[in-house]
Amino acid sequence: MAHMIDDTTIEYVGILAQLELDQTEKEAAKNDMGRMLDYIDKLNELDTDGVEPMSHVFPVHNVFREDVVENGDDRENILKNAPERKDGAFKVPKTVE
């Protein structure tokens, strides 16, 4: 089934996508959109009975882990090479007056 995309549809899509198309580009876009819709119709002919819907082709599992502190408070070691420190923190020159 060939889908006919008219100028009004292309102009509306152009407005939504903030595109400025000349007449040649409009014709090409109409043909492209028609072919895409034809392909979707072809896909709709597939027998999908018994096929479980999915969002990915491959199984996807949650890869997050519990956020556990492993190195603890290593403040003294971190500040060991600081040129200057004050109250357990790096001391830096004032940058804002």
Side-chain angles (χ1 to χ4, degrees):
M1 168 185 209
H3 288 275
M4 295 302 297
I5 306 296
D6 60 10
D7 288 337
T8 306
T9 303
I10 288 298
E11 288 171 12
Y12 180 66
V13 170
I15 290 169
L16 292 177
Q18 296 183 349
L19 298 174
E20 292 182 21
L21 304 173
D22 63 30
Q23 194 57 40
T24 305
E25 292 168 325
K26 284 181 186 177
E27 290 302 317
K30 286 193 312 190
N31 289 332
D32 289 344
M33 287 180 78
R35 286 197 324 268
M36 284 186 260
L37 293 173
D38 289 342
Y39 186 68
I40 290 169
D41 280 345
K42 186 171 184 86
L43 291 175
N44 285 333
E45 293 173 12
L46 293 173
D47 179 14
T48 57
D49 289 341
V51 177
E52 185 179 334
M54 62 179 126
S55 60
H56 295 84
V57 177
F58 300 105
V60 176
H61 303 287
N62 186 349
V63 295
F64 296 120
R65 62 171 171 74
E66 193 67 33
D67 189 13
V68 178
V69 176
E70 295 178 358
N71 58 356
D73 184 5
D74 200 16
R75 182 185 309 232
E76 282 307 311
N77 196 31
I78 293 170
L79 290 171
K80 182 170 50 176
N81 293 317
E84 291 186 59
R85 44 189 349 204
K86 180 179 179 184
D87 300 326
F90 287 96
K91 183 176 179 186
V92 296
K94 185 175 181 179
T95 57
V96 179
E97 293 188 40

